[in-house]
Amino acid sequence: MPIPSAETLSVAARLLAGCWLLFRTTPLRNARPGWRRPALSVVVPARNEEAVLPSLLKSLRPQLRSTDEIIVVDDHSSDATAAVAAAAGATLLRSPVLPAGWTGKPWACHHGARAAHNGLLVFVDADVTVEDGGLDRVVAAAEAEAPGGLFSVQPFHRTERPIEQLSAMFNTITQMGTNAFTPLGSRLAPRGAFGPCLVTLAADYHAIGGHAAVAGSVLDDMDLAEAYRQSGRPVAAAAGRGTLRYRMYPD
């Protein structure tokens, strides 16, 4: 029997590692019968997002209840982001001048969270689209998998042209790098969180310092997850196929 070459063994090892790291990327389930979603505040940090923001707001609007709210924080956009948000009926905030020690997205999220009126915060990036029923599935999963902590979802990466598959590779690597989808499940805490969609109770968010705790971070989602872990609060993550999607860097 011939001995496998080093190249063959290397390929096999990488395939096995990939299968281990992406073992359980199962879609989020529908909420259980009788479950009722608490009132929530969706916070959308947005900088020059006029091209994609309408899709997010259009997908969210039918899923909102009368007590819910959408807060779009315009992060000094030079395009029509603010006008798009206002036309869609979202609460529009203008991000104040960025102070020393802060990066833009944490600063915008910080102000959106401070303006929120509800006890549940859902941070969503402007380039995300929420599938029908997706908001319920995300919140129900957050309650089940990370009560009192931080729950995040990595949207399904939609590609329309072959060259976009190159960027999809980085999305896959991001999912693998969190250790969120191994066979160990919840026994192995994720190393980080997925920034496109974060869910947390406002009380827990403020207790750990919120985005002020990661003010200067360029990887604020990873560092925010670490802040929750350091406080003893759970962190969990999920894949968003069938629930959330985005098309990153189409050009």
Side-chain angles (χ1 to χ4, degrees):
M1 182 176 181
I3 298 175
S5 67
E7 181 179 357
T8 299
L9 291 173
S10 175
V11 170
R14 282 178 284 170
L15 285 172
L16 289 172
C19 290
W20 172 269
L21 293 169
L22 295 177
F23 179 79
R24 60 178 201 103
T25 54
T26 54
L28 293 178
R29 299 187 183 94
N30 289 329
R32 66 184 183 275
W35 175 83
R36 184 165 180 80
R37 193 181 75 213
L40 56 81
S41 298
V42 179
V43 177
V44 184
R47 182 179 177 87
N48 294 334
E49 301 284 12
E50 66 175 6
V52 295
L53 185 58
S55 295
L56 169 64
L57 299 180
K58 183 179 179 181
S59 70
L60 278 171
R61 183 58 63 188
Q63 303 187 48
L64 297 179
R65 299 191 172 98
S66 60
T67 51
D68 298 332
E69 62 181 348
I70 302 178
I71 301 170
V72 175
V73 186
D74 180 25
D75 185 17
H76 304 282
S77 299
S78 58
D79 65 2
T81 292
V84 167
T91 299
L92 176 65
L93 297 182
R94 306 276 186 172
S95 186
V97 175
L98 187 69
W102 283 81
T103 53
K105 185 177 179 182
W107 182 239
C109 290
H110 170 73
H111 283 279
R114 289 181 63 185
H117 293 99
N118 292 318
L120 182 65
L121 301 175
V122 182
F123 296 94
V124 183
D125 282 0
D127 59 354
V128 171
T129 299
V130 183
E131 306 283 5
D132 290 345
L135 199 55
D136 277 355
R137 288 194 291 277
V138 168
V139 174
E143 287 186 356
E145 298 189 30
L150 181 68
F151 183 71
S152 67
V153 182
Q154 182 73 335
F156 175 72
H157 191 157
R158 179 173 62 90
T159 58
E160 295 185 1
R161 297 179 299 156
I163 195 169
E164 293 180 59
Q165 292 290 338
L166 297 175
S167 63
M169 174 185 69
F170 297 102
N171 191 359
T172 302
I173 291 173
T174 297
Q175 292 187 63
M176 295 169 70
T178 62
N179 277 347
F181 306 111
T182 73
L184 296 178
S186 59
R187 288 172 290 175
L188 181 63
R191 292 177 177 172
F194 299 127
C197 178
L198 301 167
V199 184
T200 179
L201 291 174
D204 294 297
Y205 172 83
H206 293 300
I208 64 98
H211 278 87
V214 296
S217 175
V218 294
L219 294 174
D220 54 286
D221 47 1
M222 298 294 183
D223 292 336
L224 194 64
E226 181 62 22
Y228 273 81
R229 277 198 302 271
Q230 290 295 325
S231 73
R233 291 172 169 82
V235 176
R241 188 183 186 102
T243 297
L244 305 177
R245 57 183 164 86
Y246 61 7
R247 185 186 176 199
M248 291 184 66
Y249 313 123
D251 298 325

